[in-house]
């Protein structure tokens, strides 16, 4: 195997052209294609179970929004008691359906 096709521990292959790039790279330097990010990068992502429980128990206070990094919406939910329960209920359904994302747009980690 030649050095041009070996990758280190902190590297990956471009999904489009196969060039060795850093794992953190969002765009390949050779072909310019945006890389898909892993759904569960190490040390990132909010837990689905924790988010579900926080929403169910303290959702009217927006605690689940603070946990997932949505601080602005969390403050709004805190001040309006979860939008009089409407925001809380919608968030709870979104969490159950798997469409709730954290502040960086990542899916919750199951």
């Amino acid at each position: 195997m030649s050095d041009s096709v070996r990758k280190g521990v902190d590297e990956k292959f471009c999904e489009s052209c196969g060039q060795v790039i850093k794992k953190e790279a969002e765009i390949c330097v050779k072909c310019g294609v945006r890389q898909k990010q892993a759904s569960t990068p190490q040390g990132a992502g909010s837990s689905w179970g924790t988010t579900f429980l926080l929403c169910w128990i303290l959702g009217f206070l927006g605690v689940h929004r603070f946990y997932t990094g949505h601080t602005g919406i969390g403050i709004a939910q805190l001040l309006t008691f979860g939008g009089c329960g409407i925001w809380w209920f919608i968030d709870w359904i979104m969490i159950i359906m798997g469409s709730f994302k954290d502040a960086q747009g990542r899916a919750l980690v199951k």
Side-chain angles (χ1 to χ4, degrees), residues 33-84:
V33 172
R34 183 170 299 279
Q35 303 296 300
K36 295 178 188 170
Q37 296 299 318
S39 60
T40 57
Q42 187 176 8
S46 302
S47 165
W48 182 90
T50 303
T51 305
F52 175 80
L53 289 174
L54 287 174
C55 184
W56 180 249
I57 298 168
L58 298 169
F60 67 97
L61 296 174
V63 174
H64 62 289
R65 288 290 189 158
F66 289 106
Y67 173 71
T68 57
H70 297 282
T71 308
I73 297 172
I75 291 170
Q77 286 189 357
L78 178 66
L79 297 175
T80 63
F81 296 104
C84 296

